[in-house]
Structures are given as C-alpha cells and as structure tokens.
Amino acid sequence: MALTRPPFDPELRALLADMPLVPELNRDVLPQIRQFSSTPVEPLLEGRAIDRREISIAGPDGTDIPLSVFRPAGPEHTAPAPCVYWMHGGGMVMGDRFSQIDIPLEWLDRFGAVVVSVDYRLAPEATGTSLLDDCYHGLLWVAEHADELGVDPNRIIAAGVSAGGGLTAGVALLARDRGGPNLAAQVLICPMLDHHNDTTSSRQYAGEPGVWTREMNEFAWRSVLGDLADDAVPDNVSPATADDLSGLPDTYVDAGTAEVFRDEAVAYTTRIWAAGGQAELHIWAGGFHGFDALYPQARISAQARRARIDWLARILTPAAGPTRPQLSGQRAG
C-alpha cells in the first residue's frame, strides 16, 4: 500500500500539471530523455557582461574533461574573485555542464563569482568512481590555476543539484581526505546521497510517474554501481554511507518535503552537526524534486534561491566581529 505523501505546493502543482512526466527510466528510453536534459546556455548569457571560456583538461586516466568557465566582464572585476565549482544534476545518467547553470550564474551576478562547470562522464557508460574522479580532477585544476582564472583560492565553493549535489558531497570528502583543495563551503541542492534508496521519503514517491521517483533512482544507482556489492560501494560515491563527516567545509543543504531525497538530505545534515560541523538545512514545504530549477518563477522557488544567496553572502562576505573595548591601563599586544 502506498504511503501517504506530503502534498505539493499549490502553485507548483498547477505548474507541474502541464509537464509530461516520464513513467519510467531504463536503458531503452535514456537516449531519448538525454536529448531534453540540457538547456542551451547562450540565451542565459544574452545581456550579461560575462566572459566565457571553453577548455578541456586531461583526466587521471587520460579521458578529456570539458570545463566551462564564466567570469564577470569589465574593469571593475580585477581583484581575485570567489569561485563556484558547479556539478550538474541528472541522476548521474543525463545532463551536461549547462544543466541548471542558471543557478550559479545568479551567484556570478550577485557576488562577481567565477563559475566553473564540469562535464563529468555519465553512467552507464562510465561506472564506479569515474564520475567522481572527473569532478575531483576538475576541482584540482581550478585550484592549481586560480591565478590564471582570477580566483581567490580561499573562496572556492563546490556546489551541485541532485546528482551534482551528491557528487559535491563526494568531492568535499575527497578534498578532506586527500589534503585539498581547501573548500570554503559546499552547497548541496536536493542531493542524491544514498544508494540504499530505502528511506520513508523514497518509498513515498514510488509506484507512479513523477519528476524523480524511487524507481528512477534505483535505475540511476544501478547504472553507476552495476553489480557492486553493498559493502564495496565507496563512501565518497554514496556519501550517506561515510562513517566520518567531520572536517567538512560549511555546508548548505536543501530539499522539498515532497521528494525522494528529503530524508537522506535531513539525515546527512544531522550527521554533519553530530560530527561538530556547521551546516544549514532548508526543507521547503510542498517542494518536489528540483522544483526551483524547473520552475524558478514560483514563489517558493524564489524563496529557496534567495535563502541560498543570503547564506552565500554570509560565507563570502562575513561580518566583522565586535571590537573588544580596551580597558584603562591595559596594554595593547
């Protein structure tokens, strides 16, 4: 029997009514769905003073890793800038470096940030740690070329949505365990964190078409992991299985109440707190998976995006602490 589900936000429900939902995801339909899983970037750049650079770097196994670099143009943008290293969504089986790119481009506008988006390989053609390796190697390249990119190496933020959110978490774990690059923060938007796929929220959103269902999630994880035994799954590929979540950068996590990834997002954030880390969590009432990426014009989407920007403003431009008054007769030193 299907579990009772939190309802969709009324405005989102009305918008979703006009969207044809995919009944299932498998190897037969994946090629067709991939054709519609990316948005052309050129319309998003029109009217914006942005310099764009397309490059390709060699991965650790010789595979080419495409990167898109977007930098604010103009003479006022000469000082080292914060950097957003972006990992796109798509269940690790679809999408490209331009998917959901409007989200970090808003941060470029707001903070003068350089945005670098990585085109990691996709499953099922690539499996195991290949996707994560591509993402981590791209981050290494950004850190090593910070001067060339005009990036402040102390203000590099890893961020991603859905599968990209899970890859972001994996990259942050790798960066911690391998001694760098140092991240100022990580932003996990409706992140895909747990290959077990057995939370209450996962089971709530099963059995009928949806934006992202338990059945789709199962196909996506199997595409990445193949027949790998549960105890052999690397914890940075499925970050929810990591034993130790200490030593991670400041973290922002959000999701909707009406989506598969709600409970794993909450559990991951809770474990960061338990490990002594700093994390902020937002669970948006009535939000389905990827709601603000699909419908940025909705009121709840605007609120979700504004909350991220407010948090990033605190990370990137921290307020100065109070000045301690000097007591009479006290020496400075």
Side-chain angles (χ1 to χ4, degrees):
M1 187 175 80
L3 299 173
T4 303
R5 306 173 175 182
F8 291 159
D9 171 85
E11 183 182 11
L12 290 178
R13 183 175 63 243
L15 290 167
L16 192 63
D18 295 328
M19 178 181 175
L21 298 177
V22 178
E24 62 179 333
L25 185 59
N26 56 47
R27 284 178 177 260
D28 293 331
V29 302
L30 183 59
Q32 287 75 38
I33 295 174
R34 281 178 171 174
Q35 298 178 42
F36 304 100
S37 63
S38 178
T39 302
V41 72
E42 286 76 14
L44 295 173
L45 301 181
E46 289 180 6
R48 279 176 153 140
I50 294 178
D51 290 329
R52 174 185 174 187
R53 177 184 173 194
E54 298 292 334
I55 63 174
S56 181
I57 64 173
D61 61 357
T63 300
D64 287 339
I65 305 172
L67 299 172
S68 291
V69 181
F70 304 95
R71 180 175 174 80
E76 69 275 21
H77 297 289
T78 57
C83 177
V84 176
Y85 182 70
W86 180 252
M87 284 150 276
H88 68 81
M92 296 189 281
V93 297
M94 55 188 165
D96 62 25
R97 63 191 181 281
F98 304 130
S99 302
Q100 308 95 29
I101 196 68
D102 61 302
I103 295 175
L105 287 180
E106 285 187 357
W107 305 343
L108 180 153
D109 292 340
R110 174 64 176 79
F111 303 109
V114 174
V115 174
V116 181
S117 187
V118 57
D119 218 337
Y120 56 86
R121 286 171 286 178
L122 299 175
E125 293 84 355
T127 58
T129 64
S130 299
L131 295 75
L132 183 62
D133 290 340
D134 290 353
C135 292
Y136 180 70
H137 197 73
L139 176 64
L140 283 175
W141 184 90
V142 169
E144 291 167 357
H145 293 78
D147 287 346
E148 173 189 337
L149 296 171
V151 163
D152 180 350
N154 296 313
R155 291 191 294 166
I156 298 175
I157 293 171
V161 58
S162 190
L167 289 165
T168 298
V171 162
L173 288 168
L174 279 179
R176 179 199 66 183
D177 295 342
R178 297 181 181 179
N182 293 325
L183 293 173
Q186 60 173 336
V187 180
L188 316 181
I189 303 170
C190 55
M192 180 179 178
L193 296 165
D194 191 350
H195 73 283
H196 292 109
N197 198 28
D198 62 358
T199 63
T200 296
S201 59
S202 175
R203 286 181 273 112
Q204 283 176 315
Y205 295 95
E208 62 183 62
V211 174
W212 192 253
T213 66
R214 187 186 191 195
E215 292 83 1
M216 293 175 175
N217 204 40
E218 177 65 23
F219 168 77
W221 276 115
R222 281 298 109 211
S223 296
V224 175
L225 300 177
D227 296 326
L228 203 62
D230 183 71
D231 59 0
V233 175
D235 58 11
N236 43 41
V237 173
S238 181
T241 65
D243 292 331
D244 179 13
L245 297 186
S246 65
L248 293 173
D250 284 0
T251 301
Y252 187 97
V253 184
D254 69 3
T257 60
E259 70 159 298
V260 168
F261 296 145
R262 179 196 68 217
D263 292 350
E264 57 199 72
V266 172
Y268 198 74
T269 311
T270 301
R271 292 186 56 221
I272 291 176
W273 294 328
Q278 189 65 275
E280 183 159 324
L281 172 66
H282 292 260
I283 301 297
W284 297 97
F288 49 73
H289 183 63
F291 66 92
D292 80 278
L294 287 170
Y295 300 110
Q297 73 273 28
R299 284 180 298 173
I300 188 175
S301 300
Q303 291 171 348
R305 290 187 175 215
R306 188 164 56 247
R308 289 185 211 124
I309 287 174
D310 289 346
W311 182 83
L312 283 168
R314 300 200 304 272
I315 294 294
L316 295 174
T317 55
T323 301
R324 186 175 64 180
Q326 177 130 349
L327 300 179
S328 176
Q330 180 177 335
R331 291 187 302 170

